[in-house]
Amino acid sequence: GTANVESADIVRLMLQFCKENSLFRTLQCLQEESRVCLNTVDSMDGLASDINHGRWDSVLQAASYLSLPSNVQQDLYSQVILELAELRELETALHLLRETAPMIALKQTVPERYLRLEALVKKPHFDPMEAYEGMTKEKRRTSIAQAVAKHVQVAPPSRLLALVGQAMKWQQHVGLLPKNARIDVFRGVAVDSMEEAELCPTMVAKTVKFGAKSHPECAVFSPDGQFCVSGSVDGFVEVWDYQSGTLRKDLAYQDEGSFMMHEKAVIAIAFNKESELLATGSQDGQIKVWRIATGECARRYEKAHNEGVSWITWSKDSSQLLTASFDHTARAHGIKSGKTLKEYRGHKSYVNSAVYSNDNSKVITASSDSHVNIFDAKTTEVLQTITPPPPSHLSSIMDFAVNCAIVAPKLAGHGNEDLIFVCARTNTIQLMNLAGQVLKSFCSGKKEKGDFVAMTISPKGEWLYGVAEDNTLYCFSTMSGGLEQTLKCADKEVIGLVHHPSR
């Protein structure tokens, strides 16, 4: 169920925070502008004790945050003024009588009471029996304490911080935030306080099970590491808790069974760098852009391509989507306009990947026609066509589909030169420059069932991962080029590979 929160309660949380952090001018302005009064004390016993012992400085400060009925306020201030007069603190007594809001109101509503008070203060000799109307000073204090208590609520201290702390613990509990990490509370994301060394995976940690008639076609982690999302053959787009391998039920739309989805198989997926928007592409050429927090479809491109969308990537400023397709093209689409802005032509078969160069000036595509094309991002002109050379044990006249080409992170010894990792349907992944020169090769070492179907790079660029036809993950050091480790990762055909942004 949902909990309704009154806006006045939110203001009170802010008022209490201001009070506890001595932000008194802010507190006063907020009370005046919102017309909401804090009207709470940390402890009613503490306030009653202050009144009963005549600690009026503390009492009046506490009263300034309270919304008391005018008669209770007037009784309180009258008592303070009389006790000051008894102590012959006449200047202070007259100041409170003439300058405070409760006493100004008393002068207007019950002038005879006000005049009596003024006369008592001005008398040369103070008579307690006359001033306190036959009661003892202590009894008057007790009576006032009881009257105040009826109109004041008790709130534990630091409620705002306590609620934020509880919310963060819950988010950690359900996997929205990592445990034992420094958190940016305002943005709701983990801040990497310490750089961890990148290590190869050594075991399958979790397996997400799909229904008998479904299987995932693509998957992605959000750049902030909070979300793991899959696109399925049945059109469903599902958000997972990757630590438990279960569906995320803290997202209200999934908990209610209202999933993000397409009519056809979802075969491409990508987050923008802020981790707020998710783009999905389907077998029929449609693209949808979703708000991950609400599951709402923010933008749709009915015919982004004439055939299936095989790859999606975002521009760095999240203003455009770059997509590849089985229709032999790559295209750029505007998020604001909802229109296709550019088309990159030149391949003779499926385009399997499309990415921007580091400076966004070029578009780099990989195709089943065995080529990698480098386009001018603005003019769409083909600047260079690269054909990755086949491994030495294969004939040089054979053509091999290129599964993908991804821009390498900055690597030591290569300056600012744009380099790409190219994964063709062979047993070798190649590091190349944009002129087509092979700088390094990463080989599975298997001539049978050792051809790679997908690859990815670790966040810092220290490891290159390729998954081959034998359903084995091959882990290469990008520095040495050596094969450091292998891991059997599935019994059935593996079709893709993604990496968490920080783990």
Side-chain angles (χ1 to χ4, degrees), residues 55-167:
R55 293 189 282 265
W56 298 119
D57 282 357
S58 300
V59 172
L60 292 181
Q61 189 177 5
S64 68
Y65 308 120
L66 303 177
S67 180
L68 297 171
S70 54
N71 64 316
V72 176
Q73 280 188 332
Q74 288 159 5
D75 288 349
L76 172 62
Y77 275 79
S78 297
Q79 183 68 17
V80 176
I81 289 164
L82 289 172
E83 291 197 23
L84 286 168
E86 185 178 2
L87 294 166
R88 310 318 287 157
E89 297 274 357
L90 301 181
E91 261 188 57
T92 311
L94 286 169
H95 174 77
L96 284 178
L97 183 67
R98 291 168 182 167
E99 304 291 335
T100 56
M103 292 295 99
I104 292 166
L106 180 69
K107 187 178 182 180
Q108 291 167 346
T109 54
V110 194
E112 59 276 15
R113 185 178 173 192
Y114 179 89
L115 292 169
R116 180 180 174 277
L117 257 178
E118 193 173 44
L120 285 167
V121 172
K122 287 180 174 176
K123 266 193 167 185
H125 300 292
F126 186 85
D127 179 357
M129 284 299 286
E130 181 190 8
Y132 301 133
E133 301 176 48
M135 291 172 76
T136 64
K137 179 167 56 180
E138 287 69 29
K139 273 196 170 173
R140 289 266 300 223
R141 287 175 177 175
T142 304
S143 163
I144 289 166
Q146 288 168 348
V148 168
K150 288 178 188 170
H151 302 284
V152 175
Q153 298 165 330
V154 175
S158 306
R159 282 295 291 148
L160 182 62
L161 296 180
L163 286 168
V164 169
Q166 287 164 359

Side-chain angles (χ1 to χ4, degrees), residues 93-94 118 211 342 376 382 449 469 501:
L94 286 169
E118 193 173 44
K342 296 264 164 56
D376 183 303
V382 178
K449 295 233 171 232
E469 291 172 335

Side-chain angles (χ1 to χ4, degrees), residues 236-255:
F236 278 90
V237 178
E238 293 163 299
V239 188
W240 302 91
D241 178 341
Y242 62 85
Q243 289 176 315
S244 66
T246 56
L247 270 175
R248 287 275 293 268
K249 295 292 190 178
D250 57 301
L251 295 167
Y253 57 94
Q254 286 204 158
D255 191 36

